[in-house]
């Protein structure tokens, strides 16, 4: 079942169960997918495109969460945490920190990186391997750690 079909089914269930918050998030995700399909001029997005869009939506929510926490807006923080849980349900299983660290170590060896100057080369090689499965900030942390 494609992600769009899954979202449609979940949207119907959320409507029946009168889960307004979940329904709102599902509608936003569905709109993001449909807008991207229109932008690309296609009817069906590839699974890779879908993961990219979901990752973008997740990143937006995490960035907003950090900003709201800094501003002390607990009402919005709670709402965003609920949205993040819903979006995570559609993303592939996230990698643990140990798995991310191992991928970064292997990639550093593969590209022959030896100093912090090779940071960009390592990030370029790592990110496709963890696409949708790890937050870029976590990868960034490990790359900096191992190259310093």
């Amino acid at each position: 079942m494609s992600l769009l079909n899954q979202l449609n089914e979940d949207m119907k269930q959320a409507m029946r169960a009168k889960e307004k918050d979940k329904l709102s998030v599902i509608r936003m995700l569905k709109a993001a997918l449909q807008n991207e399909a229109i932008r690309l001029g296609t009817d069906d997005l590839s699974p890779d495109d879908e993961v990219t869009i979901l990752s973008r939506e997740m990143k937006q929510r995490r960035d907003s969460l950090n900003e709201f926490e800094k501003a002390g807006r607990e009402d919005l923080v709670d709402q965003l945490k609920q949205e993040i849980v819903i979006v995570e349900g559609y993303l592939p299983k996230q990698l643990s920190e140990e798995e991310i660290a191992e991928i970064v170590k292997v990639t550093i060896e593969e590209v022959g990186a030896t100093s912090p100057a090779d940071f960009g080369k390592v990030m370029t090689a790592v990110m496709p391997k963890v696409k949708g499965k790890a937050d870029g900030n976590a990868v960034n942390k490990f790359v900096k750690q191992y190259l310093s």
Side-chain angles (χ1 to χ4, degrees):
M1 178 184 299
S2 77
L3 181 59
L4 211 47
N5 291 339
Q6 180 68 43
L7 287 170
N8 282 329
E9 288 302 312
D10 292 349
M11 191 168 72
K12 290 174 190 173
Q13 289 177 349
M15 279 189 231
R16 286 184 198 117
K18 295 183 175 44
E19 297 172 316
K20 291 180 184 178
D21 294 338
K22 185 174 183 178
L23 182 60
S24 172
V25 173
I26 292 171
R27 282 182 173 153
M28 282 190 277
L29 293 176
K30 188 176 171 199
L33 290 167
Q34 290 173 329
N35 288 338
E36 189 69 14
I38 291 168
R39 190 183 72 74
L40 295 173
T42 182
D43 288 337
D44 293 327
L45 294 170
S46 70
D48 203 35
D49 289 337
E50 293 173 346
V51 169
T52 300
I53 295 162
L54 290 176
S55 297
R56 185 181 327 137
E57 292 293 315
M58 180 62 84
K59 182 176 180 355
Q60 288 174 353
R61 282 167 176 76
R62 285 190 175 136
D63 290 347
S64 296
L65 182 65
N66 289 335
E67 294 300 317
F68 291 150
E69 285 175 339
K70 287 178 189 173
R73 295 290 310 267
E74 289 305 315
D75 55 328
L76 297 174
V77 167
D78 294 338
Q79 179 184 351
L80 268 176
K81 284 181 180 177
Q82 291 174 349
E83 287 184 17
I84 287 171
V85 168
I86 294 167
V87 175
E88 281 175 341
Y90 296 102
L91 281 168
K93 181 184 174 294
Q94 298 296 294
L95 297 171
S96 68
E97 289 204 351
E98 294 81 23
E99 292 169 318
I100 296 170
E102 186 59 33
I103 291 170
V104 169
K105 283 181 193 175
V106 169
T107 305
I108 287 173
E109 291 173 15
E110 286 174 0
V111 299
T114 56
S115 70
D118 297 323
F119 177 82
K121 187 175 12 172
V122 174
M123 286 297 288
T124 302
V126 170
M127 289 313 288
K129 294 178 182 179
V130 299
K131 187 174 188 172
K133 299 179 201 163
D135 182 39
N137 293 331
V139 175
N140 185 322
K141 178 182 80 171
F142 284 113
V143 171
K144 283 181 181 177
Q145 178 182 330
Y146 292 130
L147 289 180
S148 59

